[in-house]
Amino acid sequence: MLILYNFAAIYNFIFASSSKINQKMKIKSITTLFFALISFTLFSQNMADYTGGWEGKLNTPKVFNLKVAIENLDSENPVFKIYNNRNIVDQTFEKTSNPELKISFSGNHFFEGTVSENGKEINGFIKSGLLLYHIKLVKSKGNTFTGIWNPLMVDELKSLDFYLSVENGKGNDYQAYPFFGDNRFTGTWCSNFKKENDVISFNDFKTGLQFKGELFENGIRLEVLLGENLLTEIVLQKSTTDWNMGGFVSPKKASTLELTEMEKHIAKDSFPNTHSVLISKEGKLVYENYFHGYNENIPHDMRSASKSISSAIVGIAKDELLFATVEQSIFDFLPEKYQYLKDSLKSKIDIQSLLTMSSGLDADDYTRERTSLASENHYQPTGDWVKTVLEAPMMNTPNTEANYGSANPFLLGIAMDSVVSGPLELFMDQHLFQKLDVSNYIIQTDLQGTPYFGGGMYLTPKDMLKFGELYLAKGKWKGRRIVSKKWVANSFKEYRHLENVPDKNGYGYLWWHHTYQVNGESINSIEARGAGGQYIFVVPELKTVAVITSGNFRNGKTQQPELIFEKSILPYLKK
């Protein structure tokens, strides 16, 4: 305001000055001065002055709980909508004669789905960033299908606090990372930091959300966008105290199994960052509890525990006769542009070697990082993951030695994408998740938008338990065959031991083997495992499935669920 006032004063001075000044000279002087002042205003911000913590308040805890609707589906001009307390997307789309829908909106975002045979629901995905959010739209009055999309994965934020960390500011350079007072959201992966005049912008390539901030002398007005469409805006001020994140209490669920000692340890942080524990015995839920604000409606980041789900998808594709045998070479499934990478040794990389971590490829940097499991940083920063993985040197002959990593199942996802007739995610939904009555889940993709079989799915703990029960029941769910009995049996076999893990665990088709000791007795468990402490335990001899989810991503306690299972759960199951 001061600059505008000064400009007005100078304007009056010039026009009130001697009449000898030519009118054109007056205008030229004003124009030059105006742009000089504006340039000073817009380009004066040094991002070093904004480096540090900023904070503000969201206007509602449900601002990221978005409603999705498809209206008038039978008409010539059906409408696709996304809204919260404001109308975010409202557009017509072209309907085809087949039951599959694909609707592009807000730049690179799209919805794809299939209308059920009875016409009562639409199951599909919103593609945003690297994630495929499953959406179930249910038909209501007036031929309208509605559902909910939670881009932040949580059903409702427990805190209105919003934080922004501006880092490494210098001139126009900086990085910025948003945080929420509700730390159940797994965080943003921000990039593409730009500054133009007094506006900064960046995006979260995981969720697909965009951020645009206007810089002021003592604040930042930050917009959160879906493409170009505004979700909400927040006024931020410099933080003067430490950020307050988390600390929420979950309501206790009623259970038939008493695990009070375990609960005390979790409450005292002896088992830190434990988010959920669920146990079923003989198909009945006997224990269910959530901690630190988590609940049954929040899909949890499974990390590599979803590799075991990837194995199930391969088995279903095999059962559907989409490929002939697990002895088929990976090159049978790859486009022509990758065939030049085939040689006498790599041609022996088959589906089974990928399922058992035995391809022999050094694509996860084993020889350089023997202590690092699933070192995806070797190929994920590259533009062509398939090329980078297959260009890696061979450590040994396929199907001879197992080394745990994520490049092997990544190639499985590429192979399965090549054999299904439509989008791989729709195949996964129709042949596995719908049959398990699982609808609240998220699939992480690779850079090409293909489901990433190396890990990163989000399922609720209850749905993780369902998946474990499916395998305990040898491929059946509620009496219905989903995966063949033979595939489950082959998946649970111990093919060889993992050479690059401390316990040298036995390994099946993307399933871990482990033996626990309880009162001098050995109990064998077959497990899905993910970084940070995401476990599905399947114990056939006890007819038991257990799920533990955690948030130990940086403290070295990623295997803590094994201790909980052995010391605090198995002794009670053996009584």
Side-chain angles (χ1 to χ4, degrees):
M1 293 298 294
L2 179 62
I3 289 175
L4 291 178
Y5 171 81
N6 288 341
F7 177 74
I10 295 169
Y11 180 97
N12 291 333
F13 170 78
I14 291 175
F15 272 86
S17 61
S18 171
S19 59
K20 294 181 181 179
I21 300 177
N22 185 277
Q23 186 75 7
K24 290 184 178 180
M25 290 299 293
K26 292 180 183 179
I27 296 172
K28 183 177 180 180
S29 299
I30 293 168
T31 302
T32 302
L33 181 60
F34 175 79
F35 281 108
L37 289 168
I38 292 298
S39 296
F40 174 79
T41 306
L42 298 182
F43 294 98
S44 62
Q45 296 96 340
N46 184 339
M47 289 308 296
D49 298 330
Y50 292 85
T51 296
W54 297 81
E55 61 187 80
K57 294 282 187 182
L58 298 166
N59 57 10
T60 168
K62 286 187 171 290
V63 67
F64 294 102
N65 299 96
L66 307 180
K67 294 181 175 63
V68 180
I70 293 179
E71 299 177 351
N72 306 318
L73 185 60
D74 293 335
S75 71
E76 292 183 0
N77 296 299
V79 177
F80 179 74
K81 290 184 176 181
I82 299 177
Y83 54 97
N84 48 20
N85 57 344
R86 65 174 76 231
N87 207 15
I88 300 166
V89 175
D90 188 343
Q91 67 180 58
T92 59
F93 64 93
E94 184 177 349
K95 183 176 179 293
T96 61
S97 57
N98 62 51
E100 291 188 5
L101 306 172
K102 187 161 184 178
I103 307 163
S104 297
F105 65 93
S106 298
N108 295 325
H109 301 78
F110 64 80
F111 171 82
E112 62 179 357
T114 304
V115 182
S116 63
E117 291 183 2
N118 61 15
K120 292 183 178 180
E121 61 186 44
I122 301 172
N123 281 280
F125 297 86
I126 285 181
K127 176 68 164 66
S128 185
L130 284 180
L131 301 178
L132 288 161
Y133 296 84
H134 184 267
I135 308 291
K136 184 177 181 178
L137 305 177
V138 179
K139 189 174 184 179
S140 58
K141 295 179 181 179
N143 198 26
T144 296
F145 296 80
T146 57
I148 299 294
W149 174 30
N150 296 320
L152 302 188
M153 296 86 167
V154 297
D155 50 350
E156 180 177 348
L157 292 169
K158 296 291 186 182
S159 170
L160 295 179
D161 293 329
F162 179 92
Y163 306 106
L164 183 70
S165 176
V166 179
E167 302 174 9
N168 303 315
K170 183 180 180 181
N172 288 336
D173 297 328
Y174 69 98
Q175 290 94 44
Y177 303 97
F179 296 87
F180 294 84
D182 187 337
N183 65 352
R184 298 174 303 169
F185 171 54
T186 56
T188 55
W189 300 349
C190 290
S191 64
N192 199 27
F193 305 103
K194 295 179 180 178
K195 180 178 181 290
E196 185 175 351
N197 300 332
D198 62 344
V199 175
I200 60 172
S201 62
F202 52 96
N203 66 285
D204 174 18
F205 67 88
K206 182 172 76 169
T207 65
L209 296 178
Q210 309 283 324
F211 297 87
K212 186 177 182 181
E214 186 176 1
L215 303 176
F216 296 96
E217 184 177 355
N218 295 309
I220 301 173
R221 184 178 65 84
L222 188 71
E223 295 180 343
V224 185
L225 305 149
L226 181 63
E228 297 298 320
N229 301 299
L230 182 67
L231 291 177
T232 191
E233 60 183 13
I234 312 141
V235 176
L236 304 175
Q237 295 180 328
K238 270 278 191 180
S239 298
T240 56
T241 60
D242 292 338
W243 293 348
N244 182 24
M245 303 172 70
F248 311 116
V249 178
S250 298
K252 186 173 181 179
K253 306 283 285 189
S255 302
T256 58
L257 182 66
E258 291 292 331
L259 298 176
T260 53
E261 287 300 314
M262 180 196 73
E263 292 167 5
K264 287 178 183 177
H265 284 303
I266 293 172
K268 293 178 180 178
D269 255 2
S270 300
F271 295 145
N273 303 314
T274 299
H275 295 162
S276 73
V277 178
L278 291 85
I279 305 167
S280 70
K281 190 171 179 64
E282 297 181 347
K284 294 181 180 180
L285 186 66
V286 296
Y287 186 85
E288 178 184 12
N289 212 341
Y290 302 90
F291 310 92
H292 304 298
Y294 284 80
N295 62 50
E296 61 187 351
N297 299 315
I298 299 176
H300 202 282
D301 187 352
M302 295 177 65
R303 298 293 175 101
S304 288
S306 63
K307 285 179 168 70
S308 302
I309 295 177
S310 301
S311 172
I313 299 302
V314 177
I316 291 170
K318 173 70 169 58
D319 295 340
E320 294 287 319
L321 304 179
L322 298 183
F323 68 96
T325 172
V326 294
E327 283 77 34
Q328 281 183 256
S329 168
I330 183 60
F331 287 93
D332 292 352
F333 304 89
L334 297 178
E336 181 62 33
K337 68 176 182 177
Y338 297 116
Q339 295 300 321
Y340 78 95
L341 294 163
K342 181 178 180 179
D343 59 29
S344 59
L345 189 56
K346 288 181 179 178
S347 65
K348 296 178 181 179
I349 300 172
D350 58 15
I351 297 298
Q352 178 154 293
S353 71
L354 298 173
L355 286 164
T356 56
M357 298 291 180
S358 306
S359 69
L361 282 165
D362 191 19
D364 288 280
D365 271 347
Y366 302 118
T367 58
R368 288 173 287 279
E369 300 180 39
R370 293 294 293 195
T371 61
S372 175
L373 300 187
S375 180
E376 292 149 295
N377 287 334
H378 174 59
Y379 59 88
Q380 286 193 354
T382 67
D384 189 334
W385 295 3
V386 175
K387 179 176 179 289
T388 304
V389 167
L390 289 174
E391 282 182 343
M394 296 292 286
M395 296 184 293
N396 45 62
T397 302
N399 286 308
T400 60
E401 181 179 303
N403 283 280
Y404 182 80
S406 291
N408 288 293
F410 160 65
L411 289 178
L412 285 173
I414 301 302
M416 294 306 101
D417 187 54
S418 74
V419 299
V420 300
S421 58
L424 179 56
E425 58 270 19
L426 291 181
F427 178 87
M428 296 168 68
D429 186 55
Q430 292 162 6
H431 289 82
L432 178 62
F433 294 115
Q434 285 188 40
K435 293 180 179 181
L436 287 174
D437 194 25
V438 171
S439 61
N440 183 14
Y441 70 95
I442 301 158
I443 299 174
Q444 184 179 318
T445 71
D446 62 20
L447 297 179
Q448 309 306 317
T450 302
Y452 180 57
F453 274 30
M457 289 189 65
Y458 295 71
L459 264 68
T460 67
K462 264 194 171 178
D463 289 338
M464 292 169 67
L465 195 74
K466 286 182 184 178
F467 180 70
E469 289 174 341
L470 171 69
Y471 268 69
L472 181 66
K474 301 178 181 179
K476 282 188 174 182
W477 172 253
K478 293 185 176 179
R480 183 183 186 186
R481 174 66 61 190
I482 297 178
V483 189
S484 69
K485 184 177 180 180
K486 182 179 180 181
W487 184 264
V488 172
N490 287 339
S491 298
F492 277 3
K493 283 181 183 178
E494 184 178 302
Y495 290 87
R496 48 192 59 88
H497 293 272
L498 296 169
E499 299 297 330
N500 64 332
V501 302
D503 294 335
K504 305 291 183 184
N505 298 76
Y507 205 71
Y509 282 180
L510 305 183
W511 285 91
W512 295 71
H513 287 242
H514 194 64
T515 301
Y516 297 92
Q517 301 296 323
V518 179
N519 299 323
E521 183 181 352
S522 297
I523 298 176
N524 297 317
S525 175
I526 303 160
E527 302 165 0
R529 294 185 179 186
Q534 328 313 324
Y535 277 64
I536 303 173
F537 304 85
V538 181
V539 188
E541 66 185 277
L542 298 180
K543 299 180 181 178
T544 292
V545 177
V547 165
I548 298 177
T549 61
S550 322
N552 292 309
F553 298 107
R554 297 177 181 86
N555 60 5
K557 294 183 180 292
T558 194
Q559 291 180 264
Q560 178 177 272
E562 297 169 41
L563 178 63
I564 296 173
F565 192 60
E566 184 171 51
K567 302 299 183 183
S568 298
I569 295 176
L570 281 176
Y572 291 90
L573 293 173
K574 288 292 293 181
K575 286 182 179 180

Coordinates of all heavy atoms in Angstrom, one line a residue, residues 447-508:
L447 N 6.2 -44.7 -12.8 CA 6.1 -43.4 -13.5 C 5.2 -43.5 -14.7 O 4.8 -42.5 -15.2 CB 7.6 -43.0 -14.0 CG 8.6 -42.8 -12.8 CD1 9.9 -42.4 -13.5 CD2 8.1 -41.7 -11.9
Q448 N 4.9 -44.7 -15.2 CA 4.0 -44.9 -16.3 C 2.6 -45.1 -15.9 O 1.7 -45.2 -16.8 CB 4.5 -46.1 -17.2 CG 5.9 -46.1 -17.5 CD 6.4 -44.8 -18.2 OE1 5.7 -44.3 -19.1 NE2 7.5 -44.3 -17.8
G449 N 2.3 -45.1 -14.6 CA 0.9 -45.2 -14.1 C 0.5 -46.7 -13.9 O -0.7 -47.0 -13.7
T450 N 1.5 -47.6 -14.0 CA 1.2 -49.0 -13.8 C 1.3 -49.4 -12.4 O 2.2 -48.9 -11.7 CB 2.2 -49.9 -14.6 OG1 2.1 -49.5 -16.0 CG2 1.9 -51.4 -14.5
P451 N 0.4 -50.2 -11.8 CA 0.5 -50.6 -10.4 C 1.9 -51.1 -10.1 O 2.4 -52.0 -10.8 CB -0.6 -51.7 -10.3 CG -1.6 -51.2 -11.2 CD -0.9 -50.7 -12.4
Y452 N 2.5 -50.6 -9.0 CA 3.9 -50.9 -8.7 C 3.8 -52.2 -7.8 O 3.4 -52.1 -6.6 CB 4.5 -49.8 -8.0 CG 5.9 -50.0 -7.5 CD1 6.9 -50.4 -8.5 CD2 6.3 -49.8 -6.2 CE1 8.2 -50.6 -8.1 CE2 7.6 -50.1 -5.8 CZ 8.6 -50.5 -6.8 OH 9.9 -50.7 -6.4
F453 N 4.3 -53.3 -8.3 CA 4.3 -54.5 -7.6 C 5.4 -54.6 -6.5 O 5.4 -55.6 -5.8 CB 4.4 -55.7 -8.5 CG 3.0 -56.2 -9.1 CD1 2.0 -55.2 -9.3 CD2 2.8 -57.5 -9.4 CE1 0.8 -55.6 -9.8 CE2 1.6 -57.9 -9.9 CZ 0.5 -57.0 -10.1
G454 N 6.3 -53.7 -6.5 CA 7.3 -53.7 -5.5 C 6.9 -53.3 -4.1 O 7.6 -53.4 -3.1
G455 N 5.7 -52.7 -4.0 CA 5.2 -52.4 -2.6 C 4.5 -51.0 -2.7 O 4.5 -50.3 -3.7
G456 N 3.9 -50.6 -1.5 CA 3.4 -49.3 -1.4 C 1.8 -49.2 -1.5 O 1.3 -48.1 -1.6
M457 N 1.2 -50.3 -1.4 CA -0.3 -50.3 -1.4 C -0.7 -49.8 0.0 O 0.0 -50.0 1.0 CB -0.9 -51.6 -1.7 CG -0.8 -52.1 -3.1 SD -1.8 -53.5 -3.5 CE -3.4 -52.9 -3.2
Y458 N -2.0 -49.3 0.1 CA -2.6 -48.9 1.3 C -3.9 -49.7 1.5 O -4.8 -49.6 0.7 CB -2.9 -47.4 1.4 CG -1.7 -46.5 1.3 CD1 -1.0 -46.3 0.1 CD2 -1.4 -45.7 2.4 CE1 0.1 -45.4 0.0 CE2 -0.3 -44.8 2.3 CZ 0.4 -44.7 1.2 OH 1.5 -43.8 1.1
L459 N -3.9 -50.5 2.6 CA -5.2 -51.2 3.0 C -5.4 -51.0 4.4 O -4.5 -50.7 5.2 CB -5.0 -52.7 2.8 CG -5.5 -53.4 1.4 CD1 -4.7 -52.9 0.3 CD2 -5.5 -54.9 1.5
T460 N -6.7 -51.0 4.8 CA -7.0 -51.0 6.2 C -6.5 -52.3 6.9 O -6.4 -53.3 6.2 CB -8.5 -50.8 6.5 OG1 -9.2 -52.0 6.1 CG2 -9.1 -49.6 5.7
P461 N -6.2 -52.2 8.2 CA -5.7 -53.4 8.8 C -6.7 -54.6 8.8 O -6.3 -55.7 8.6 CB -5.5 -53.0 10.3 CG -5.1 -51.5 10.1 CD -6.0 -51.0 9.0
K462 N -8.0 -54.3 8.8 CA -9.0 -55.3 8.7 C -9.0 -56.0 7.3 O -9.2 -57.2 7.2 CB -10.4 -54.7 8.9 CG -10.9 -54.9 10.4 CD -12.4 -54.6 10.5 CE -12.9 -55.0 11.8 NZ -14.3 -54.8 12.0
D463 N -8.7 -55.2 6.3 CA -8.6 -55.8 5.0 C -7.3 -56.5 4.8 O -7.3 -57.5 4.0 CB -8.8 -54.7 3.9 CG -10.2 -54.2 3.8 OD1 -11.1 -54.9 4.3 OD2 -10.4 -53.0 3.4
M464 N -6.3 -56.1 5.5 CA -5.0 -56.9 5.5 C -5.3 -58.3 6.1 O -4.8 -59.3 5.7 CB -3.9 -56.2 6.2 CG -3.4 -54.9 5.5 SD -2.4 -53.9 6.6 CE -0.9 -54.9 6.8
L465 N -6.1 -58.2 7.2 CA -6.5 -59.5 7.9 C -7.3 -60.4 6.9 O -7.0 -61.6 6.9 CB -7.3 -59.2 9.1 CG -7.4 -60.3 10.1 CD1 -6.1 -60.6 10.9 CD2 -8.6 -60.0 11.1
K466 N -8.2 -59.8 6.1 CA -8.9 -60.6 5.2 C -8.0 -61.3 4.2 O -8.2 -62.5 3.9 CB -9.9 -59.7 4.4 CG -11.1 -59.3 5.1 CD -11.9 -58.4 4.2 CE -13.1 -57.8 4.9 NZ -13.9 -56.9 3.9
F467 N -7.0 -60.6 3.7 CA -6.1 -61.2 2.8 C -5.3 -62.3 3.4 O -5.1 -63.4 2.8 CB -5.1 -60.1 2.3 CG -4.1 -60.6 1.3 CD1 -4.5 -61.0 0.0 CD2 -2.8 -60.8 1.6 CE1 -3.6 -61.5 -0.9 CE2 -1.8 -61.3 0.7 CZ -2.3 -61.6 -0.6
G468 N -4.9 -62.2 4.6 CA -4.2 -63.3 5.3 C -5.1 -64.5 5.5 O -4.7 -65.6 5.3
E469 N -6.4 -64.2 5.8 CA -7.4 -65.3 6.0 C -7.6 -66.0 4.7 O -7.9 -67.2 4.7 CB -8.7 -64.8 6.6 CG -8.5 -64.3 8.0 CD -9.8 -63.7 8.6 OE1 -10.6 -63.2 7.7 OE2 -9.9 -63.6 9.8
L470 N -7.6 -65.3 3.6 CA -7.7 -65.9 2.2 C -6.7 -67.0 2.0 O -6.9 -68.1 1.6 CB -7.6 -64.9 1.2 CG -7.6 -65.4 -0.3 CD1 -8.9 -66.0 -0.7 CD2 -7.2 -64.2 -1.2
Y471 N -5.4 -66.7 2.4 CA -4.3 -67.6 2.2 C -4.4 -68.7 3.3 O -4.0 -69.9 3.0 CB -3.0 -66.9 2.2 CG -2.6 -66.5 0.8 CD1 -3.3 -65.5 0.1 CD2 -1.5 -67.2 0.2 CE1 -2.9 -65.2 -1.2 CE2 -1.2 -66.8 -1.1 CZ -1.9 -65.9 -1.8 OH -1.5 -65.6 -3.1
L472 N -4.8 -68.4 4.5 CA -5.0 -69.5 5.5 C -6.0 -70.5 5.1 O -5.9 -71.7 5.3 CB -5.4 -68.8 6.8 CG -5.6 -69.8 8.0 CD1 -4.2 -70.5 8.4 CD2 -6.2 -69.1 9.2
A473 N -7.0 -70.0 4.4 CA -8.1 -70.9 3.9 C -7.8 -71.5 2.5 O -8.7 -71.9 1.8 CB -9.4 -70.1 3.8
K474 N -6.5 -71.4 2.1 CA -6.0 -72.0 0.9 C -6.7 -71.5 -0.4 O -7.0 -72.2 -1.3 CB -6.1 -73.5 0.9 CG -5.4 -74.1 2.1 CD -5.5 -75.7 2.2 CE -4.8 -76.2 3.4 NZ -4.9 -77.7 3.5
G475 N -6.9 -70.2 -0.4 CA -7.4 -69.5 -1.6 C -8.9 -69.3 -1.6 O -9.4 -68.8 -2.6
K476 N -9.6 -69.6 -0.5 CA -11.1 -69.4 -0.5 C -11.4 -68.3 0.5 O -10.8 -68.1 1.5 CB -11.8 -70.7 -0.1 CG -12.0 -71.7 -1.2 CD -12.9 -72.8 -0.7 CE -13.2 -73.8 -1.9 NZ -14.1 -74.9 -1.5
W477 N -12.5 -67.5 0.2 CA -13.0 -66.5 1.1 C -14.5 -66.7 1.1 O -15.2 -66.6 0.1 CB -12.7 -65.1 0.6 CG -13.3 -64.0 1.3 CD1 -14.4 -63.2 0.9 CD2 -13.0 -63.6 2.7 NE1 -14.7 -62.3 1.9 CE2 -13.9 -62.5 3.0 CE3 -12.1 -64.0 3.6 CZ2 -13.9 -61.9 4.2 CZ3 -12.1 -63.3 4.8 CH2 -13.0 -62.3 5.1
K478 N -15.0 -67.0 2.3 CA -16.4 -67.2 2.6 C -17.0 -68.3 1.6 O -18.1 -68.2 1.0 CB -17.3 -66.0 2.4 CG -17.0 -64.9 3.5 CD -17.9 -63.7 3.5 CE -17.6 -62.8 4.6 NZ -18.4 -61.6 4.6
G479 N -16.2 -69.4 1.4 CA -16.6 -70.5 0.6 C -16.4 -70.3 -0.9 O -16.6 -71.2 -1.7
R480 N -15.9 -69.1 -1.3 CA -15.8 -68.8 -2.7 C -14.3 -68.8 -3.1 O -13.4 -68.2 -2.4 CB -16.3 -67.4 -3.0 CG -16.3 -67.0 -4.4 CD -16.8 -65.6 -4.6 NE -16.9 -65.1 -6.0 CZ -17.3 -63.9 -6.3 NH1 -17.5 -63.0 -5.4 NH2 -17.3 -63.6 -7.6
R481 N -14.0 -69.6 -4.2 CA -12.6 -69.7 -4.6 C -12.1 -68.4 -5.3 O -12.8 -67.9 -6.2 CB -12.5 -70.9 -5.6 CG -11.2 -71.1 -6.3 CD -10.1 -71.4 -5.3 NE -10.3 -72.7 -4.6 CZ -9.6 -73.2 -3.6 NH1 -8.6 -72.4 -3.1 NH2 -9.9 -74.3 -3.1
I482 N -11.0 -67.8 -4.8 CA -10.5 -66.6 -5.4 C -9.1 -66.9 -6.0 O -8.8 -66.5 -7.1 CB -10.4 -65.5 -4.3 CG1 -11.8 -65.1 -3.8 CG2 -9.7 -64.3 -4.9 CD1 -11.8 -64.0 -2.8
V483 N -8.3 -67.7 -5.3 CA -7.0 -68.1 -5.8 C -6.9 -69.6 -5.7 O -7.5 -70.2 -4.7 CB -5.8 -67.5 -4.9 CG1 -4.5 -67.8 -5.5 CG2 -6.0 -66.0 -4.7
S484 N -6.3 -70.2 -6.7 CA -6.3 -71.7 -6.7 C -5.5 -72.2 -5.5 O -4.6 -71.6 -5.0 CB -5.7 -72.2 -8.0 OG -4.3 -71.9 -8.0
K485 N -6.0 -73.4 -5.0 CA -5.3 -74.1 -3.9 C -3.8 -74.4 -4.2 O -2.9 -74.2 -3.4 CB -6.1 -75.4 -3.5 CG -5.5 -76.1 -2.3 CD -6.4 -77.3 -2.1 CE -5.9 -78.1 -0.9 NZ -6.7 -79.3 -0.6
K486 N -3.6 -74.7 -5.4 CA -2.2 -75.0 -5.9 C -1.3 -73.8 -5.8 O -0.2 -73.9 -5.4 CB -2.2 -75.6 -7.3 CG -0.9 -76.0 -7.8 CD -1.0 -76.6 -9.2 CE 0.4 -77.0 -9.7 NZ 0.4 -77.6 -11.1
W487 N -1.9 -72.7 -6.2 CA -1.0 -71.4 -6.2 C -0.7 -71.1 -4.7 O 0.5 -70.7 -4.4 CB -1.7 -70.3 -6.8 CG -0.9 -69.1 -6.9 CD1 -0.8 -68.0 -6.0 CD2 0.2 -68.8 -7.8 NE1 0.1 -67.1 -6.3 CE2 0.8 -67.6 -7.4 CE3 0.7 -69.5 -8.9 CZ2 1.8 -67.0 -8.2 CZ3 1.7 -68.9 -9.6 CH2 2.3 -67.7 -9.3
V488 N -1.6 -71.2 -3.8 CA -1.4 -70.9 -2.4 C -0.3 -71.9 -1.9 O 0.6 -71.4 -1.2 CB -2.7 -71.0 -1.6 CG1 -2.3 -70.8 -0.1 CG2 -3.6 -69.9 -2.0
A489 N -0.4 -73.1 -2.2 CA 0.5 -74.1 -1.7 C 1.9 -73.8 -2.3 O 2.9 -73.8 -1.5 CB 0.1 -75.5 -2.1
N490 N 2.0 -73.5 -3.5 CA 3.3 -73.1 -4.1 C 3.9 -71.8 -3.5 O 5.1 -71.7 -3.4 CB 3.2 -73.0 -5.6 CG 3.0 -74.3 -6.3 OD1 3.3 -75.4 -5.8 ND2 2.5 -74.3 -7.5
S491 N 3.0 -70.9 -3.2 CA 3.4 -69.6 -2.6 C 4.0 -69.8 -1.3 O 4.9 -69.1 -0.9 CB 2.2 -68.7 -2.5 OG 1.7 -68.4 -3.8
F492 N 3.5 -70.8 -0.5 CA 3.9 -71.0 0.9 C 5.2 -71.9 1.0 O 5.7 -72.1 2.0 CB 2.8 -71.5 1.7 CG 1.9 -70.5 2.2 CD1 2.0 -69.1 1.9 CD2 0.8 -70.8 3.1 CE1 1.2 -68.1 2.4 CE2 0.0 -69.8 3.6 CZ 0.1 -68.5 3.2
K493 N 5.6 -72.5 -0.1 CA 6.8 -73.3 -0.1 C 8.0 -72.5 0.2 O 8.1 -71.3 -0.1 CB 7.0 -74.0 -1.5 CG 6.1 -75.2 -1.8 CD 6.4 -75.8 -3.1 CE 5.5 -76.9 -3.5 NZ 5.8 -77.4 -4.9
E494 N 9.0 -73.1 0.8 CA 10.3 -72.4 1.0 C 11.2 -72.9 -0.1 O 11.7 -74.0 -0.1 CB 10.8 -72.8 2.4 CG 12.1 -72.1 2.8 CD 12.6 -72.5 4.1 OE1 11.9 -72.3 5.1 OE2 13.8 -73.0 4.2
Y495 N 11.5 -71.9 -1.0 CA 12.3 -72.3 -2.2 C 13.8 -72.1 -1.8 O 14.6 -73.0 -2.2 CB 12.0 -71.4 -3.3 CG 10.6 -71.7 -3.9 CD1 9.4 -71.1 -3.3 CD2 10.4 -72.6 -4.9 CE1 8.2 -71.4 -3.8 CE2 9.1 -73.0 -5.3 CZ 8.0 -72.4 -4.8 OH 6.8 -72.7 -5.2
R496 N 14.2 -71.1 -1.2 CA 15.6 -70.9 -0.8 C 15.7 -69.8 0.3 O 14.6 -69.1 0.6 CB 16.5 -70.5 -2.0 CG 16.0 -69.4 -2.9 CD 16.7 -69.3 -4.2 NE 16.7 -70.6 -4.9 CZ 15.7 -70.9 -5.8 NH1 14.7 -70.0 -6.0 NH2 15.7 -72.0 -6.5
H497 N 16.8 -69.5 0.8 CA 17.0 -68.6 1.9 C 17.5 -67.2 1.3 O 18.2 -67.2 0.3 CB 17.9 -69.1 3.0 CG 17.4 -70.2 3.7 ND1 16.7 -70.1 4.9 CD2 17.5 -71.6 3.5 CE1 16.3 -71.3 5.3 NE2 16.9 -72.2 4.5
L498 N 17.0 -66.2 1.9 CA 17.5 -64.8 1.5 C 18.9 -64.6 2.0 O 19.1 -64.6 3.2 CB 16.5 -63.8 2.0 CG 15.1 -63.9 1.5 CD1 14.1 -62.9 2.2 CD2 15.0 -63.5 0.0
E499 N 19.8 -64.3 1.1 CA 21.2 -64.2 1.4 C 21.5 -62.8 2.0 O 22.5 -62.7 2.7 CB 22.1 -64.4 0.2 CG 21.9 -65.8 -0.4 CD 22.4 -66.9 0.5 OE1 23.2 -66.7 1.4 OE2 21.8 -68.0 0.4
N500 N 20.7 -61.8 1.8 CA 21.1 -60.5 2.2 C 20.3 -59.9 3.3 O 20.1 -58.7 3.5 CB 21.0 -59.5 1.0 CG 19.5 -59.4 0.5 OD1 18.7 -60.3 0.6 ND2 19.2 -58.2 -0.1
V501 N 19.6 -60.8 4.1 CA 18.9 -60.4 5.3 C 19.6 -61.0 6.5 O 20.1 -62.2 6.4 CB 17.4 -60.7 5.3 CG1 16.8 -60.0 4.0 CG2 17.2 -62.2 5.3
P502 N 19.6 -60.4 7.7 CA 20.3 -60.9 8.9 C 19.9 -62.3 9.3 O 20.7 -63.2 9.7 CB 20.0 -59.9 10.0 CG 19.7 -58.6 9.2 CD 19.0 -59.1 8.0
D503 N 18.6 -62.6 9.2 CA 18.1 -63.9 9.7 C 18.1 -65.0 8.6 O 17.7 -66.2 8.9 CB 16.6 -63.8 10.2 CG 16.6 -62.9 11.5 OD1 17.6 -62.9 12.2 OD2 15.5 -62.4 11.7
K504 N 18.5 -64.7 7.4 CA 18.6 -65.6 6.3 C 17.2 -66.4 6.2 O 17.2 -67.6 6.0 CB 19.7 -66.7 6.5 CG 21.1 -66.1 6.7 CD 21.6 -65.4 5.5 CE 23.0 -64.9 5.7 NZ 23.6 -64.1 4.6
N505 N 16.1 -65.6 6.2 CA 14.8 -66.2 6.2 C 14.6 -67.1 5.0 O 15.0 -66.7 3.9 CB 13.7 -65.1 6.3 CG 13.8 -64.3 7.5 OD1 14.7 -63.5 7.7 ND2 12.9 -64.6 8.4
G506 N 13.8 -68.1 5.1 CA 13.3 -68.8 4.0 C 12.3 -67.9 3.2 O 11.7 -67.0 3.8
Y507 N 12.1 -68.2 1.9 CA 11.3 -67.3 1.1 C 10.5 -68.2 0.1 O 11.0 -69.1 -0.5 CB 12.1 -66.3 0.4 CG 11.4 -65.0 0.0 CD1 11.0 -64.1 1.0 CD2 11.1 -64.7 -1.3 CE1 10.3 -63.0 0.7 CE2 10.4 -63.6 -1.6 CZ 10.0 -62.7 -0.6 OH 9.4 -61.5 -0.9
G508 N 9.2 -67.8 -0.1 CA 8.3 -68.4 -1.0 C 8.0 -67.5 -2.2 O 9.0 -66.8 -2.7

